[in-house]
Amino acid sequence: MEFEQDKRLARVLISEEEIKKRVSEAGRRISEEYKDKPLVMICILKGSFVFASDLCRAVDIPCRIEFMRVRSYYEGTQSSGSVDILLDTDNDLSGSHVLVVEDIVDSGRTLCRLTELLRKRNPLSLRTITLLDKPSRRAEEFHTDISLFSIPDLFVVGYGLDYNEMYRNLPYIAVYEEVR
Ligand code: IMP
Ligand code: MG
């Protein structure tokens, strides 16, 4: 495969098998915790489209799927960033238990802002699940309810995550490094 010749992909950090195992465990957990509850999973585009599509098929209870696309703006190192909503959910969230599905939590700003905003829509509950978490990079205190993998401060691509819009279709998570 051509990815194998790409020197910018320094190494595989998390294999397809490891991802599969954790996603199916998470699916089972969600299916138990939200049994008989109206569940809406919100896939945050673009990064979480692969994770969300595998996760929702690992969940075996009825649920709705919504999509949002957000862009975060930060002013320097100040934590007073804001998010622009580029695509919003189609349906009302009040009366539903909302689970936000994100690819990675880095500074924590995106999910901080987004959960603030979603809370105002009065869901029955609001929780977050993230595929990857980089706790050492946190600029704002943010705790994800479910995190599949905690990783060190590395730039990673694959399984939905990109570098300049590329590598999203890589079936595993790889460490990306500039080639000098
Ligand atoms: P936060 O607001 O800093 O938590 O931003 C999280 C967003 O930054 C994610 O949704 C990703 O789009 C992006 N991001 C952070 N770290 C990485 C990475 O290692 N690879 C690819 N995208 C990343
Ligand atoms: Mg993202």
Side-chain angles (χ1 to χ4, degrees):
M1 196 162 159
E2 244 180 84
F3 282 132
E4 280 157 24
Q5 272 112 54
D6 190 334
K7 293 204 166 47
R8 289 163 297 190
L9 300 177
R11 61 191 163 91
V12 176
L13 187 67
I14 307 170
S15 71
E16 261 186 277
E17 290 68 32
E18 286 175 277
I19 297 171
K20 236 175 227 161
K21 185 169 165 278
R22 300 305 293 272
V23 168
S24 72
E25 284 167 7
R28 271 200 299 278
R29 177 174 166 183
I30 293 165
S31 307
E32 280 166 24
E33 292 182 1
Y34 291 91
K35 192 172 184 293
D36 300 321
K37 291 179 178 170
L39 170 64
V40 179
M41 288 199 266
I42 305 181
C43 166
I44 308 303
L45 297 172
K46 298 178 186 174
S48 77
F49 83 105
V50 178
F51 174 42
S53 66
D54 281 346
L55 182 68
C56 74
R57 285 174 293 172
V59 166
D60 63 5
I61 56 166
C63 67
R64 273 164 47 200
I65 318 282
E66 294 279 344
F67 297 89
M68 283 183 89
R69 189 162 174 217
V70 296
R71 183 178 289 154
S72 331
Y73 290 100
Y74 317 127
E75 291 158 29
T77 53
Q78 285 193 323
S79 54
S80 59
S82 61
V83 290
D84 267 3
I85 299 181
L86 306 180
L87 174 77
D88 207 346
T89 56
D90 296 328
N91 298 297
D92 185 23
L93 299 176
S94 67
S96 293
H97 293 272
V98 171
L99 183 61
V100 175
V101 183
E102 179 59 307
D103 54 354
I104 187 165
V105 187
D106 189 34
S107 71
R109 289 184 180 114
T110 307
L111 276 186
C112 253
R113 293 290 100 77
L114 187 65
T115 50
E116 260 171 33
L117 189 148
L118 289 173
R119 206 163 284 124
K120 293 189 184 130
R121 300 183 184 180
N122 299 314
L124 292 173
S125 69
L126 178 64
R127 295 170 83 203
T128 55
I129 178 167
T130 184
L131 174 71
L132 306 173
D133 189 2
K134 286 190 206 174
S136 65
R137 295 262 306 164
R138 214 61 107 244
E140 264 186 57
E141 204 177 313
F142 187 83
H143 172 77
T144 51
D145 297 292
I146 309 176
S147 155
L148 273 55
F149 301 95
S150 189
I151 64 166
D153 182 11
L154 298 165
F155 194 85
V156 292
V157 293
Y159 201 70
L161 288 104
D162 74 307
Y163 172 76
N164 279 348
E165 295 301 326
M166 297 302 287
Y167 304 108
R168 293 193 197 275
N169 62 325
L170 203 63
Y172 46 86
I173 303 285
V175 177
Y176 179 90
E177 279 172 8
E178 290 292 350
V179 179
R180 281 174 296 270

